[in-house]
Short mmCIF file of all heavy atoms in Angstrom, two decimals:
data_model
loop_
_atom_site.label_atom_id
_atom_site.label_comp_id
_atom_site.label_asym_id
_atom_site.label_seq_id
_atom_site.Cartn_x
_atom_site.Cartn_y
_atom_site.Cartn_z
N MET A 13 -13.35 126.59 -8.69
CA MET A 13 -14.06 127.29 -7.65
C MET A 13 -13.05 128.11 -6.87
O MET A 13 -12.02 127.63 -6.43
CB MET A 13 -14.76 126.26 -6.76
CG MET A 13 -15.59 126.84 -5.69
SD MET A 13 -16.47 125.52 -4.84
CE MET A 13 -17.91 126.39 -4.40
N ALA A 14 -13.32 129.35 -6.69
CA ALA A 14 -12.38 130.26 -6.03
C ALA A 14 -12.77 130.48 -4.57
O ALA A 14 -13.88 130.19 -4.16
CB ALA A 14 -12.35 131.59 -6.77
N LEU A 15 -11.83 131.01 -3.82
CA LEU A 15 -12.10 131.35 -2.43
C LEU A 15 -12.99 132.59 -2.38
O LEU A 15 -12.92 133.45 -3.26
CB LEU A 15 -10.80 131.60 -1.68
CG LEU A 15 -9.86 130.40 -1.56
CD1 LEU A 15 -8.56 130.82 -0.91
CD2 LEU A 15 -10.50 129.31 -0.78
N THR A 16 -13.78 132.71 -1.35
CA THR A 16 -14.71 133.83 -1.25
C THR A 16 -14.10 135.04 -0.56
O THR A 16 -14.75 136.05 -0.43
CB THR A 16 -15.99 133.41 -0.49
OG1 THR A 16 -15.60 132.92 0.79
CG2 THR A 16 -16.72 132.33 -1.26
N GLN A 17 -12.89 134.93 -0.06
CA GLN A 17 -12.22 136.06 0.56
C GLN A 17 -10.79 136.12 0.06
O GLN A 17 -10.24 135.13 -0.38
CB GLN A 17 -12.25 135.94 2.08
CG GLN A 17 -11.39 134.81 2.64
CD GLN A 17 -11.46 134.72 4.14
OE1 GLN A 17 -12.39 135.22 4.73
NE2 GLN A 17 -10.49 134.08 4.74
N SER A 18 -10.19 137.30 0.13
CA SER A 18 -8.81 137.40 -0.31
C SER A 18 -7.90 136.77 0.75
O SER A 18 -8.19 136.81 1.94
CB SER A 18 -8.43 138.86 -0.54
OG SER A 18 -8.49 139.56 0.68
N VAL A 19 -6.81 136.20 0.29
CA VAL A 19 -5.91 135.48 1.17
C VAL A 19 -4.50 136.01 0.95
O VAL A 19 -4.05 136.15 -0.17
CB VAL A 19 -5.95 133.96 0.87
CG1 VAL A 19 -4.98 133.22 1.75
CG2 VAL A 19 -7.36 133.43 1.03
N SER A 20 -3.82 136.34 2.03
CA SER A 20 -2.42 136.72 1.93
C SER A 20 -1.57 135.58 2.45
O SER A 20 -2.07 134.58 2.92
CB SER A 20 -2.16 138.01 2.72
OG SER A 20 -2.20 137.73 4.11
N ALA A 21 -0.29 135.75 2.39
CA ALA A 21 0.63 134.70 2.81
C ALA A 21 0.55 134.43 4.31
O ALA A 21 0.90 133.36 4.77
CB ALA A 21 2.05 135.06 2.43
N PHE A 22 0.06 135.39 5.08
CA PHE A 22 0.06 135.23 6.53
C PHE A 22 -1.34 135.06 7.12
O PHE A 22 -1.50 134.99 8.32
CB PHE A 22 0.74 136.44 7.19
CG PHE A 22 2.16 136.59 6.75
CD1 PHE A 22 2.52 137.56 5.84
CD2 PHE A 22 3.13 135.73 7.22
CE1 PHE A 22 3.82 137.68 5.42
CE2 PHE A 22 4.44 135.85 6.80
CZ PHE A 22 4.79 136.82 5.91
N SER A 23 -2.37 135.00 6.29
CA SER A 23 -3.72 134.81 6.82
C SER A 23 -4.06 133.32 6.83
O SER A 23 -3.50 132.54 6.10
CB SER A 23 -4.74 135.58 5.98
OG SER A 23 -4.78 135.06 4.68
N THR A 24 -4.99 132.96 7.69
CA THR A 24 -5.42 131.57 7.75
C THR A 24 -6.72 131.42 6.98
O THR A 24 -7.53 132.33 6.90
CB THR A 24 -5.65 131.13 9.22
OG1 THR A 24 -6.62 132.00 9.80
CG2 THR A 24 -4.37 131.18 10.00
N ILE A 25 -6.90 130.27 6.41
CA ILE A 25 -8.11 129.98 5.65
C ILE A 25 -9.00 129.13 6.53
O ILE A 25 -8.60 128.08 7.02
CB ILE A 25 -7.78 129.23 4.35
CG1 ILE A 25 -6.85 130.06 3.48
CG2 ILE A 25 -9.03 128.87 3.59
CD1 ILE A 25 -6.33 129.34 2.27
N LYS A 26 -10.21 129.58 6.71
CA LYS A 26 -11.16 128.81 7.50
C LYS A 26 -11.70 127.69 6.64
O LYS A 26 -11.95 127.87 5.45
CB LYS A 26 -12.29 129.72 7.97
CG LYS A 26 -11.81 130.83 8.89
CD LYS A 26 -12.94 131.75 9.26
CE LYS A 26 -12.40 132.90 10.09
NZ LYS A 26 -13.35 133.95 10.27
N PRO A 27 -11.93 126.50 7.23
CA PRO A 27 -12.41 125.37 6.44
C PRO A 27 -13.74 125.65 5.73
O PRO A 27 -13.97 125.13 4.66
CB PRO A 27 -12.55 124.25 7.46
CG PRO A 27 -11.62 124.63 8.56
CD PRO A 27 -11.61 126.12 8.58
N ALA A 28 -14.61 126.47 6.32
CA ALA A 28 -15.89 126.74 5.69
C ALA A 28 -15.73 127.60 4.44
O ALA A 28 -16.56 127.59 3.56
CB ALA A 28 -16.82 127.45 6.67
N VAL A 29 -14.61 128.33 4.33
CA VAL A 29 -14.40 129.23 3.21
C VAL A 29 -13.67 128.53 2.07
O VAL A 29 -13.89 128.82 0.91
CB VAL A 29 -13.58 130.47 3.68
CG1 VAL A 29 -13.26 131.38 2.53
CG2 VAL A 29 -14.34 131.21 4.76
N ALA A 30 -12.81 127.59 2.40
CA ALA A 30 -12.00 126.94 1.38
C ALA A 30 -12.85 125.99 0.55
O ALA A 30 -13.75 125.33 1.05
CB ALA A 30 -10.86 126.18 2.04
N ALA A 31 -12.56 125.91 -0.73
CA ALA A 31 -13.26 124.99 -1.62
C ALA A 31 -12.69 123.59 -1.44
O ALA A 31 -11.50 123.43 -1.22
CB ALA A 31 -13.10 125.44 -3.06
#
Side-chain angles (χ1 to χ4, degrees):
M13 183 174 212
L15 296 175
T16 57
Q17 68 181 20
S18 64
V19 178
S20 73
F22 300 104
S23 64
T24 58
I25 301 173
K26 297 176 184 169
V29 176

